[in-house]
Amino acid sequence: MTLYKKILPVVVLFLTINHSCYSQQDSSTYRKIVQSIESARKIYAPDKRTKLIELKHADIIQKKYSIQTTESIATEYLQKEFKQQGIEVEFIQLPDETVGDTKIGVVNLSVANLRTQPSHSAEMATQVLLGTRVDILQKSGGDFRVRTPEGYIAWVPTSSISPMNQQDFELWNKREKVIYTEEFGKSLSQAAVNSLRVTDLVYGDILALDKRAGDYVQVSYPDNRKAYIPASEVEPFDEWLSSRNPTADNILASAKTMMGLPYLWGGTSVKGVDCSGFTKTSYFMNGYIIPRDASQQVLAGEKIDILDENGDFDSAKALKNLKPADLLFFAMSKGTRENPRVTHVALYLGNGEFIHAAGTVRINSMLRDAKNYDDFQTRTVVAARRYLGSGDSQIQEIAKSNYYTN
C-alpha cells in the first residue's frame, strides 16, 4: 500500500469503566497490562500487518483481562511479566476456538477483498485470488480473520472463503489444478459460449480440473460448484509453475501487461492495483511471492546505492547502479521529517524510466530532460532494492510454498 495507514484493528475493548467504582490500583493494573503489551509488540510483533498481540477484553471493575496473539513466544514472555507483577490475564492463541478445526480456507471468488476490520465499510487492505489458500485465525459475525501467503493478516467475508479442516484441504490440494491465464474472463454453466455465467475470472485464478469437454474444461470451485472454461484460457497449474522464468525481462513484460489499469487502494489483481499490489503482481506472474506493502518491500532484497551523501537522488548513480526490475521506493514526507516512511514503490525499466501505479499504471522518467519526467517522484525517492538473485527469504518461490503446492 502507498500509505502505512493500514493498522490491523484491535478487537473491540469491552471497557466497563465507572470512575467511582474502581481504585487507583485497578487503573494502574490496566496501564501495566497495556504497557507490557506494547513492550511485547516491539519484540515479537513489530509489524501489526503480519503478527498480532491484542488486548481483547478488559473489565477493570471485575479485574478480568484477556489478550489474544498469533505469537506463542509472546504469550510466554507476557505470562512471566504478569506473574512477576501478580496480575492474572487470560491468553487466547490464534487461531482460536471460533474457527473449530476448519483452520484452512481457500478463496471462492475471482478476487476476495480483505479489509482492516470485519466490516464491508472498512478500509480495503489487500486482495487474494481464487483458489489461494489462507490460514483462518478467527471468526467474528460474518467475517473471517485470515493470513495470506505473504503473511498479511486482515478480515474477509465468510462467503468469500471455503473453510476446510486438514483432511478436506489435503483432498483439495491433491487435485489437479488449472490456472486462468487470460486477463479477464468468466466460467460458464455449460460448455457453450451463450450459457449462463458462474463467476468472473482474472489472471492467476486457480481451480480444480474435473475433465476436458471438447474445447472446454470442466472445473470445480473450492465450494464444489462446477463450471466450464474455454480450454485455451487455462493452463495446467504445474506446467504454468514450471515455466516461470523470473528474469528482469519477464517481470517487466508482466508489468507492462497492466499498463493503464486503474489505481485501487488495496488492489492486487488486474481489476485494479495499488503501487505495491502492482509490484507484487508483477513478481507473482513470474513465480514469486513478495511482501505486500511498499514499507515491507523496502526491507527485502539487496540495497542499491542511488542517493548522494545528503540523501538526495543522484541520477548518475542511479543510471550506473540500477538494473531492470529493481524496485524504487519513495516517501511523501521526505525532507519534512527524519526517517520518512516509504509510501510508494515502482519497478525500474532501464534508461532512467520506471513503471508504477499512480492514478493508473504508467511509465515515467527520472531524467529531467525526458518528456515523461516525474519531478515529484524523483524528489521523494529514498531507496532502491534488488530482488533478483538476492537470496532473501522474504522473496519466496511459489513452487516452494505450501499455500500453493503439495
Side-chain angles (χ1 to χ4, degrees):
M1 287 266 171
T2 54
L3 294 174
Y4 180 28
K5 292 179 181 177
K6 301 186 307 171
I7 302 176
L8 290 175
V10 174
V11 175
V12 178
L13 304 181
F14 298 97
L15 300 177
T16 310
I17 303 176
N18 184 327
H19 291 284
S20 64
C21 296
Y22 67 86
S23 67
Q24 288 294 325
Q25 182 179 359
D26 296 327
S27 179
S28 174
T29 297
Y30 172 74
R31 288 197 298 270
K32 287 178 180 178
I33 290 172
V34 171
Q35 290 169 359
S36 294
I37 289 173
E38 287 304 313
S39 296
R41 282 177 179 158
K42 291 178 182 178
I43 302 170
Y44 302 110
D47 189 337
K48 297 178 182 180
R49 293 165 292 186
T50 59
K51 296 179 180 180
L52 304 176
I53 305 173
E54 300 175 340
L55 180 60
K56 182 181 182 182
H57 179 91
D59 186 333
I60 295 177
I61 296 175
Q62 298 298 323
K63 299 180 181 180
K64 292 184 177 179
Y65 306 92
S66 63
I67 294 171
Q68 62 184 15
T69 179
T70 55
E71 309 306 304
S72 58
I73 192 171
T75 298
E76 296 174 8
Y77 170 86
L78 288 170
Q79 284 175 332
K80 290 179 181 178
E81 286 278 305
F82 296 143
K83 184 177 181 180
Q84 291 175 357
Q85 299 174 38
I87 299 173
E88 291 188 10
V89 177
E90 177 192 15
F91 286 89
I92 302 167
Q93 187 69 38
L94 299 179
D96 67 14
E97 62 183 11
T98 62
V99 304
D101 67 346
T102 54
K103 299 176 182 179
I104 300 172
V106 182
V107 177
N108 257 334
L109 307 179
S110 65
V111 179
N113 296 326
L114 278 61
R115 299 186 181 277
T116 56
Q117 297 181 31
S119 169
H120 287 290
S121 61
E123 177 185 2
M124 192 158 84
T126 191
Q127 294 178 319
V128 184
L129 301 182
L130 172 66
T132 302
R133 170 191 167 164
V134 294
D135 300 322
I136 303 178
L137 303 177
Q138 197 169 32
K139 186 177 185 291
S140 176
D143 293 271
F144 287 130
R145 179 181 259 183
V146 300
R147 181 192 287 115
T148 69
E150 62 272 13
Y152 213 85
I153 298 173
W155 294 90
V156 63
T158 56
S159 58
S160 301
I161 303 291
S162 283
M164 300 180 184
N165 59 32
Q166 186 64 40
Q167 183 179 7
D168 290 338
F169 178 71
E170 287 176 2
L171 290 173
W172 165 262
N173 207 28
K174 289 177 181 177
R175 297 186 64 178
E176 186 178 354
K177 305 293 195 311
V178 293
I179 184 169
Y180 193 74
T181 53
E182 295 294 308
E183 288 188 357
F184 303 96
K186 57 185 177 181
S187 63
L188 303 167
S189 57
Q190 301 292 330
V193 68
N194 59 349
S195 62
L196 291 175
R197 175 169 56 189
V198 176
T199 72
D200 69 314
L201 297 169
V202 300
Y203 183 97
D205 285 347
I206 300 169
L207 299 111
L209 175 65
D210 290 337
K211 63 181 181 181
R212 299 188 178 276
D215 294 334
Y216 290 81
V217 292
Q218 185 188 61
V219 296
S220 289
Y221 284 72
D223 61 0
N224 295 317
R225 283 175 296 166
K226 304 292 184 181
Y228 293 85
I229 305 172
S232 61
E233 297 179 7
V234 298
E235 188 174 337
F237 180 69
D238 289 344
E239 292 182 14
W240 176 85
L241 196 54
S242 64
S243 69
R244 298 304 88 191
N245 183 20
T247 65
D249 286 345
N250 287 343
I251 289 168
L252 296 179
S254 295
K256 289 176 181 177
T257 67
M258 291 181 273
M259 281 289 291
L261 285 185
Y263 180 94
L264 175 65
W265 181 275
T268 64
S269 74
V270 293
K271 289 186 176 182
V273 289
D274 61 24
C275 65
S276 55
F278 165 69
T279 52
K280 176 183 180 301
T281 301
S282 299
Y283 272 84
F284 178 85
M285 289 178 169
N286 290 276
Y288 276 103
I289 304 166
I290 68 172
R292 170 61 184 93
D293 289 348
S295 58
Q296 296 169 318
Q297 291 176 4
V298 73
L299 301 177
E302 175 190 349
K303 184 178 180 179
I304 307 301
D305 184 14
I306 59 169
L307 305 177
D308 64 20
E309 61 274 8
N310 297 316
D312 295 323
F313 176 70
D314 186 324
S315 59
K317 272 189 178 181
L319 288 172
K320 177 183 177 182
N321 296 337
L322 287 172
K323 293 182 179 180
D326 287 347
L327 280 72
L328 295 166
F329 296 93
F330 309 83
M332 288 181 63
S333 60
K334 181 180 180 180
T336 64
R337 66 170 61 180
E338 190 176 352
N339 299 319
R341 179 173 292 154
V342 168
T343 55
H344 189 64
V345 60
L347 278 173
Y348 185 64
L349 290 171
N351 300 317
E353 289 190 321
F354 55 92
I355 183 169
H356 59 143
T360 63
V361 176
R362 56 190 172 94
I363 294 174
N364 286 109
S365 176
M366 58 179 65
L367 303 180
R368 291 184 179 275
D369 57 351
K371 291 182 179 180
N372 59 344
Y373 172 63
D374 190 322
D375 177 55
F376 177 76
Q377 298 297 351
T378 303
R379 284 187 289 111
T380 58
V381 67
V382 292
R385 294 290 186 273
R386 179 165 301 143
Y387 279 9
L388 294 179
S390 69
D392 193 320
S393 61
Q394 297 176 83
I395 304 162
Q396 311 169 53
E397 292 182 46
I398 296 175
K400 296 180 180 178
S401 169
N402 61 7
Y403 286 88
Y404 290 96
T405 59
N406 296 332

